[in-house]
Amino acid sequence: MKKVDTSKGAHSRTADAQKLTMAEVAKYVGVSAMTVSRAFRQDASVSEETRKRIMEAVDALGYVLDQSAGSLSSRRTGFIAALVPSINNSNFSDTARGITDALENTGLQLLLGYTDYSAEKEEQLIESMLRRRPEGIILTGGAHTPRARRMLEKAGIPVVETWEIPEDPVNHVVGFSNSEAMSLLVRELANKGYRKFGYIGGTTARDTRGSQRRSGFLKTVEDLGLGPGRMISFGVPPITMEQGGQAIVSMLERWPDTEVVLCVSDLSAFGALMECQRRGLRVPQDIAIAGFGDYEISSICHPRISTINVDCYGIGRQAAARLLDALQDGGDVAGDITLTSYRVVLREST
Amino acid sequence: MKKVDTSKGAHSRTADAQKLTMAEVAKYVGVSAMTVSRAFRQDASVSEETRKRIMEAVDALGYVLDQSAGSLSSRRTGFIAALVPSINNSNFSDTARGITDALENTGLQLLLGYTDYSAEKEEQLIESMLRRRPEGIILTGGAHTPRARRMLEKAGIPVVETWEIPEDPVNHVVGFSNSEAMSLLVRELANKGYRKFGYIGGTTARDTRGSQRRSGFLKTVEDLGLGPGRMISFGVPPITMEQGGQAIVSMLERWPDTEVVLCVSDLSAFGALMECQRRGLRVPQDIAIAGFGDYEISSICHPRISTINVDCYGIGRQAAARLLDALQDGGDVAGDITLTSYRVVLREST
DNA sequence: GCGAAATATGTTATCGATATCATCGCCGTC
DNA sequence: GACGGCGATGATATCGATAACATATTTCGC
């Protein structure tokens, strides 16, 4: 890693000193600042002729609207805040993309933050987001610190919690029951004849969706009379592909006769699958594996992985849509719950 | 997908009407607004006693600082803008995370946008970002529309282009030569004895880094006297895992004696690898496969994929660091080029 | 113990846009 | 032809914080 200085592109920050304001554009055109302001909005009444002249001046001078100033006086920042646990996880980046797409052409801009699955970090982020006075906020999950919750309630903006169904929602919810989804997968696999079930997940409750999946698994295995589920907890959530591989090794050492292993996500399932191949185990004959989330990888790898398909992108789109509804109606909308779809996808790995 | 109304969490936007301002906190405490403002900054001179009383009031009232107002008067928005082609690609989300991490505790907040590999979309995004008056901006690549370039130059803020080395940089650069990296991979594989080289990539030049990798491949194969490289172009960049699978099928139909296939990214390489397994081809004996980017998947799958490791996270961290340097020095820093490291990682797939 | 420097706090103007209300033509209608 | 209404534009106050300067109070060195 070396550094090379070049005089090219040198460029002092204060040089062209972007001092340009609306008033100067106005003077240049020979109208008032107010008229320039109006020209930037499509609903305002400005003659076509004037607007054209203004826009030409804007182009010529290189003026760029200053929304910080605008939002102070209009009391509309045009921001929507969204917090996701991690952006490196494609499930959540799909949700983020859904939000972005739904916001396109609304004039709203997304302020995105990563909580790293930590409620404390979430609290910090909520505060720093609220300082920007967003018009709405989208969160992942329903577990918040008390202070975070207070701030949210006091903010006076629509709040959407996603990806799960909190017991006591703040406001709107767009998501599904992770435990029921996992339960459905267990039942379908039991129907296929599997009896000895194992589960691989992270060690703590930091990942609330992961915990819900786990409890759905445990309960359903019990309900079906298939004895206590075999549980390997490995690594701090979210667990990686590699940890999935290590976990299945532990599983097979401890309970060699396990027939099928369900994983908290497709990522660990994939790691487990590859580790089995490396060890010469046949999947699903020697051991069957299933994941959760239907990541792209699961439909591509060989054998393909059985999983639960979740509408990640749709969660984002709908969360944004609920927010837009609420903003439209002047905020008189009561909280509601929008359930999103999921489905079991059985493939060659089970 | 159904909707369930609940009266719970109902919550009208105008109810608690977050009218709370600094002045009211000030009145509550019995000091001036200015003192409250000072209490929020660590460098300001406020007695410990007063600050404590103010913070208690802030807590009690639930006041949240309004940065939109603050940044108007201080002329510091605390925003850094960053544009990446896609957030669903883990290489770029790693870069985004690098930026976020580097910005932690600087009081700066990231405004993130996705260009979808489109220069037009990038132009739009640059404009909407500049409206927020960011203090610096990080871009991916060096291909911008003329208007985008003009806006960037006029903005008077530090600009960092990343992930490649533009011929004519706007300002700072943090990246590496994609063509040289690919060239290095070709040479190492040639050293291992491979002679008949194929390449899989997307169909258009939208993905400039992809194009650079391709030209690095072609040139090096020629230079080594290994005849014209065999090229399969498939799909609009960025190409998916599935398209990688389809592409290798075309490759082997057209040039069945191909010995090694290089892919524009690990994702397509993985798709190709899995498709080979599905068809009973042995990798690397029947066909060797290499990727680019060293995604997590490549070190986990079986066989593991040879690739170029790129310091995605480091690109983000360093880009942010260059920006912080420039902000620190009052912007009198000339543009410079920071080269980031990459290395060939040979694994079982070649 | 006195003046200078440092500390703590207040006052006022201001950042750059927009809400609001006022103004001025112009058109059409009864 | 007078009046109501609408379209286009301008003047002024204001959004909520902070910069800059002013002032009061304390600290400290010699």
Side-chain angles (χ1 to χ4, degrees):
Chain A
M1 217 156 315
K2 64 186 163 176
K3 261 193 203 181
V4 181
D5 271 341
T6 93
S7 55
K8 225 187 200 168
H11 158 118
S12 110
R13 268 207 305 148
T14 38
D16 323 306
Q18 174 80 350
K19 277 278 163 214
L20 209 50
T21 118
M22 209 172 241
E24 290 168 66
V25 176
K27 189 155 60 172
Y28 184 89
V29 181
V31 295
S32 73
M34 200 56 233
T35 303
V36 176
S37 172
R38 289 191 178 105
F40 271 98
R41 286 167 291 181
Q42 69 280 57
D43 57 318
S45 79
V46 186
S47 75
E48 229 10 87
E49 152 70 9
T50 309
R51 168 174 278 140
K52 203 175 126 246
R53 276 170 48 224
I54 291 176
M55 283 314 169
E56 281 167 9
V58 164
D59 248 33
L61 299 173
Y63 172 72
V64 175
L65 194 60
D66 185 335
Q67 284 207 63
S68 347
S71 50
L72 181 57
S73 91
S74 70
R75 299 139 145 311
R76 299 201 51 231
T77 57
F79 279 128
I80 293 294
L83 302 183
V84 295
S86 153
I87 200 66
N88 302 65
N89 179 303
S90 77
N91 272 191
F92 297 123
S93 60
D94 284 348
T95 296
R97 173 164 291 269
I99 298 172
T100 309
D101 287 356
L103 257 33
E104 185 143 35
N105 301 320
T106 60
L108 292 167
Q109 194 163 4
L110 185 63
L111 271 176
L112 195 60
Y114 322 139
T115 66
D116 265 325
Y117 294 85
S118 146
E120 286 67 40
K121 190 122 191 243
E122 188 196 52
E123 179 187 311
Q124 284 185 294
L125 278 169
I126 287 175
E127 176 159 20
S128 77
M129 292 294 174
L130 290 180
R131 288 184 170 189
R132 303 295 186 172
R133 296 291 186 271
E135 301 181 28
I137 184 165
I138 298 174
L139 305 169
T140 307
H144 319 294
T145 66
R147 197 169 88 89
R149 176 120 197 169
R150 240 178 294 130
M151 288 192 288
L152 290 170
E153 280 165 352
K154 191 141 179 94
I157 55 175
V159 175
V160 184
E161 291 164 289
T162 62
W163 270 93
E164 41 182 276
I165 314 284
E167 278 188 33
D168 180 21
V170 176
N171 193 191
H172 304 272
V173 175
V174 174
F176 63 99
S177 163
N178 284 265
S179 76
E180 283 176 24
M182 186 54 95
S183 174
L184 186 62
L185 179 57
V186 173
R187 284 169 206 280
E188 295 239 355
L189 291 171
N191 273 347
K192 286 197 72 172
Y194 290 107
R195 285 295 169 266
K196 294 171 180 154
F197 281 78
Y199 185 88
I200 287 174
T203 45
T204 75
R206 249 165 53 112
D207 173 9
T208 56
R209 288 155 300 287
S211 306
Q212 290 155 11
R213 291 170 198 170
R214 171 198 304 219
S215 61
F217 167 83
L218 286 174
K219 178 165 184 311
T220 310
V221 168
E222 287 291 345
D223 286 355
L224 293 174
L226 302 176
R230 295 138 180 224
M231 185 75 49
I232 295 291
S233 297
F234 196 98
V236 175
I239 70 172
T240 61
M241 293 180 177
E242 185 169 4
Q243 290 169 327
Q246 296 170 296
I248 201 160
V249 172
S250 308
M251 175 71 71
L252 293 173
E253 276 169 6
R254 182 136 170 225
W255 295 290
D257 62 338
T258 305
E259 294 168 0
V260 60
V261 176
L262 278 61
C263 302
V264 67
S265 94
D266 280 4
L267 301 180
S268 39
F270 177 76
L273 172 60
M274 292 298 130
E275 186 60 30
C276 288
Q277 291 191 349
R278 205 162 271 124
R279 291 171 177 255
L281 290 167
R282 291 166 309 156
V283 175
Q285 294 87 344
D286 298 329
I287 177 90
I289 295 175
F292 196 112
D294 199 12
Y295 289 64
E296 182 184 15
I297 198 176
S298 296
S299 64
I300 302 290
C301 65
H302 178 70
R304 297 180 304 154
I305 299 174
S306 297
T307 187
I308 302 270
N309 175 283
V310 173
D311 186 14
C312 316
Y313 179 82
I315 289 176
R317 279 205 84 107
Q318 295 201 54
R322 289 296 78 69
L323 225 47
L324 293 174
D325 291 349
L327 291 174
Q328 192 98 56
D329 301 347
D332 291 338
V333 191
D336 53 48
I337 297 182
T338 302
L339 294 177
T340 61
S341 61
Y342 57 82
R343 63 176 200 283
V344 170
V345 182
L346 294 181
R347 302 200 178 107
E348 298 94 41
S349 74
T350 52
Chain B
M1 217 156 316
K2 65 185 163 176
K3 261 191 203 183
V4 181
D5 271 341
T6 93
S7 55
K8 222 186 202 168
H11 159 116
S12 108
R13 265 207 307 148
T14 39
D16 325 305
Q18 173 79 352
K19 279 277 162 214
L20 211 49
T21 112
M22 207 170 241
E24 290 168 68
V25 177
K27 189 157 57 173
Y28 184 90
V29 183
V31 296
S32 73
M34 198 59 232
T35 303
V36 177
S37 171
R38 289 191 179 107
F40 272 98
R41 286 167 292 182
Q42 71 278 60
D43 56 318
S45 77
V46 186
S47 74
E48 228 12 86
E49 151 70 8
T50 309
R51 166 173 278 141
K52 197 172 132 254
R53 277 172 47 226
I54 290 176
M55 284 314 171
E56 280 167 10
V58 163
D59 247 32
L61 298 174
Y63 172 72
V64 175
L65 195 60
D66 184 336
Q67 284 208 60
S68 344
S71 50
L72 180 58
S73 98
S74 70
R75 299 141 143 309
R76 299 201 53 229
T77 57
F79 279 128
I80 293 294
L83 301 183
V84 294
S86 155
I87 200 67
N88 303 65
N89 179 302
S90 77
N91 271 190
F92 296 122
S93 60
D94 284 349
T95 298
R97 172 164 292 271
I99 298 171
T100 309
D101 288 356
L103 257 34
E104 187 144 32
N105 301 322
T106 60
L108 293 166
Q109 192 163 7
L110 185 62
L111 271 176
L112 194 60
Y114 322 140
T115 66
D116 264 327
Y117 294 87
S118 144
E120 286 67 41
K121 190 121 191 245
E122 187 196 52
E123 179 188 311
Q124 284 184 292
L125 279 168
I126 287 175
E127 176 160 19
S128 78
M129 294 294 175
L130 290 180
R131 288 185 171 188
R132 302 296 184 173
R133 297 291 187 270
E135 301 181 28
I137 184 166
I138 298 174
L139 305 170
T140 307
H144 320 295
T145 66
R147 198 169 89 89
R149 175 120 196 170
R150 239 178 296 130
M151 287 191 290
L152 290 169
E153 280 164 352
K154 191 145 179 104
I157 55 175
V159 176
V160 184
E161 291 164 291
T162 62
W163 269 94
E164 39 182 279
I165 314 286
E167 278 189 30
D168 181 22
V170 177
N171 194 190
H172 303 272
V173 174
V174 174
F176 63 97
S177 163
N178 284 266
S179 75
E180 283 175 24
M182 185 55 94
S183 174
L184 185 63
L185 179 57
V186 172
R187 283 170 206 282
E188 296 239 355
L189 291 172
N191 273 346
K192 287 196 72 173
Y194 291 107
R195 286 293 169 268
K196 292 171 181 155
F197 281 79
Y199 184 86
I200 287 175
T203 47
T204 74
R206 249 164 53 112
D207 173 10
T208 55
R209 288 155 299 288
S211 306
Q212 290 155 11
R213 289 169 199 171
R214 171 199 302 221
S215 60
F217 167 82
L218 287 174
K219 178 165 184 313
T220 311
V221 169
E222 287 291 344
D223 287 355
L224 294 174
L226 303 176
R230 296 138 181 225
M231 184 74 49
I232 295 290
S233 298
F234 195 98
V236 176
I239 71 173
T240 61
M241 292 179 178
E242 184 171 5
Q243 291 169 326
Q246 296 170 297
I248 202 161
V249 172
S250 307
M251 174 72 71
L252 293 173
E253 275 169 5
R254 183 139 169 221
W255 294 289
D257 62 338
T258 305
E259 294 169 1
V260 59
V261 176
L262 278 62
C263 301
V264 67
S265 95
D266 280 4
L267 302 180
S268 39
F270 177 75
L273 172 61
M274 291 299 131
E275 186 60 32
C276 288
Q277 292 191 348
R278 207 162 271 122
R279 293 173 175 253
L281 290 167
R282 292 166 307 158
V283 176
Q285 296 85 345
D286 298 329
I287 177 90
I289 294 175
F292 197 112
D294 199 12
Y295 290 63
E296 182 184 15
I297 197 177
S298 296
S299 64
I300 302 292
C301 65
H302 177 70
R304 298 180 303 154
I305 299 175
S306 297
T307 187
I308 301 272
N309 175 283
V310 173
D311 186 13
C312 314
Y313 179 82
I315 289 176
R317 279 205 85 107
Q318 295 202 52
R322 289 296 79 69
L323 227 45
L324 293 174
D325 290 349
L327 291 174
Q328 191 99 54
D329 301 346
D332 292 338
V333 190
D336 53 49
I337 296 182
T338 303
L339 294 178
T340 61
S341 62
Y342 56 84
R343 63 176 200 282
V344 171
V345 182
L346 294 181
R347 302 199 179 105
E348 298 95 42
S349 75
T350 51

